Amino acid sequence: MVNGFKLLIIIFVAGALVACGPIATRPMDTYTISSLKKYVRAPRRTTKLTLLVSNPTAAPGYQTSAMIYMATPFELKSFANNRWVAPPAQMLLPMFVRALRNTSYFYAVVAPPFVGITNLRLDTQLIKLQQEFLLPTSQLRLIVQASLVSNVTNRIVASRQFEVVIPTSENNPYGGVLAANKAAATLSRKIAQFAVNAAR
């Protein structure tokens, strides 16, 4: 009887030690949004206008590094083991700058922390960046509001909302990452052309 009682104590203590031990967790996968293509710019500029691309802001729900998805209409969720390496709005800034420089229209295209004088300013806000599992094949939706502002008058020259929807190649987070990069590249070029047309 005593030996059986001791055995129960040993089993209990061993179980407690196992429960208190380290729990294996899946490592976090992090992804970036960037342009992998190299563009060749024309050596000459069309105008002497200078453009400041301000830091993009983000709408509520899209301000963090969480990778947002939607499986039910109007309900936003985030993947547990997948994140962006930085908030998406922050990663869009260099893509916007590159696309604008590639137009070869502006004399100079600058971004923060530049503090000099510029003729125009491009303000953008990330409205949505989410992978939607509402159809048999998921899709990535990217929406950005862009406004071109005159730094001379501090008035909006033009404002437009851009939306790009890309079907994913896989119904998983990485499929959304690939689609997000395609969407960001397409949207960057559209915003750059918008800025050029509005500045003319």
Side-chain angles (χ1 to χ4, degrees), residues 4 13 24 29 32 36 39 61 123 126 148 153 163 178 188 190:
V13 172
D29 295 325
T32 186
L36 299 178
Y39 299 95
D123 295 334
L126 174 63
L148 189 68
T153 63
E163 180 174 7
L178 296 177
S188 296
K190 289 185 176 183

Side-chain angles (χ1 to χ4, degrees), residues 123-136:
D123 295 334
T124 55
Q125 181 182 33
L126 174 63
I127 306 298
K128 283 185 181 180
L129 175 61
Q130 61 194 34
Q131 187 172 357
E132 299 173 347
F133 294 90
L134 305 176
L135 300 171

